Amino acid sequence: MATVNCAYTGYINPPNVTPVLTQAQVWAGLERKVRRGQDFVPVIESTTVVEEKRSTKQEWPQLAPGTQIVVREAKFTDGNGPPAALMNNGIARETCLLHAPNRVDFLQDSGSLVMNIISRQKYPQTVEKSIEAIREMVKKGNIADYDIVRK
């Protein structure tokens, strides 16, 4: 039987929170999350990018051609992470599909899917912890508008 989890939606810029984040800053944060999951998810110790490429119609017919694909390995803290990580020395392999500028899909080898989405509404929304991490990075000067984060 499949496990279905509930998603959480939160405001990117609720009242009285500074700095006010732009969509470009939030997107830059999600790009960073793909490469440095440990900055956003407390139970991830490290992230290693294994492969980066662009989608082609032949390999990924369901994606727009040129969609950025990042294959990564996330090392989880002891006893945490998806079942595949618990059976593989805490390491889970994920294929991340970056649908710029508003969605990242994290496809785990187990078949699980996690989606981080920036809604295109009057009040854009996304995952609260990621927004808090992005806000801290903007405060520290690690992310600016149109920042493309690469390591």
Side-chain angles (χ1 to χ4, degrees), residues 6 26 29 34 51 63 67 71 76 79 85 92-95 99 103 105 107 111 118 121-122 126 129 137 140-142:
C6 179
V26 176
V34 167
E51 179 183 9
L63 296 179
T67 298
V71 179
F76 287 82
R93 190 176 184 96
E94 296 179 317
T95 300
H99 304 276
R103 187 177 101 213
D105 297 339
L107 305 164
I118 304 168
Q121 299 174 3
K122 183 177 179 185
T126 192
K129 289 292 181 188
M137 290 174 199
K140 293 176 182 174
N142 295 336

Side-chain angles (χ1 to χ4, degrees), residues 7-142:
Y8 175 83
T9 300
Y11 293 107
I12 288 177
N13 291 310
N16 303 317
V17 175
T18 59
V20 172
L21 301 176
T22 65
Q23 180 165 348
Q25 289 170 325
V26 176
W27 179 250
L30 290 179
E31 288 182 308
R32 183 180 180 112
K33 184 177 183 179
V34 167
R35 291 169 182 78
R36 295 191 47 84
Q38 66 273 16
D39 293 346
F40 300 86
V41 182
V43 296
I44 295 179
E45 287 181 1
S46 63
T47 306
T48 303
V49 173
V50 176
E51 179 183 9
E52 289 194 59
K53 61 185 175 181
R54 296 283 176 169
S55 66
T56 63
K57 276 286 189 199
Q58 294 77 21
E59 187 178 6
W60 292 85
Q62 72 276 31
L63 296 179
T67 298
Q68 187 174 4
I69 300 169
V70 176
V71 179
R72 73 179 191 173
E73 291 181 345
K75 170 79 169 116
F76 287 82
T77 57
D78 289 342
N80 290 300
L86 297 176
M87 297 179 345
N88 189 27
N89 295 321
I91 298 172
R93 190 176 184 96
E94 296 179 317
T95 300
C96 306
L97 308 175
L98 290 83
H99 304 276
N102 61 358
R103 187 177 101 213
V104 177
D105 297 339
F106 298 87
L107 305 164
Q108 297 176 353
D109 280 355
S110 66
S112 293
L113 169 64
V114 175
M115 298 169 68
N116 286 187
I117 302 170
I118 304 168
S119 298
R120 292 178 173 256
Q121 299 174 3
K122 183 177 179 185
Y123 303 102
Q125 302 167 346
T126 192
V127 179
E128 186 177 43
K129 289 292 181 188
S130 292
I131 293 303
E132 290 172 11
I134 293 167
R135 192 174 316 284
E136 285 303 311
M137 290 174 199
V138 169
K139 283 181 183 177
K140 293 176 182 174
N142 295 336

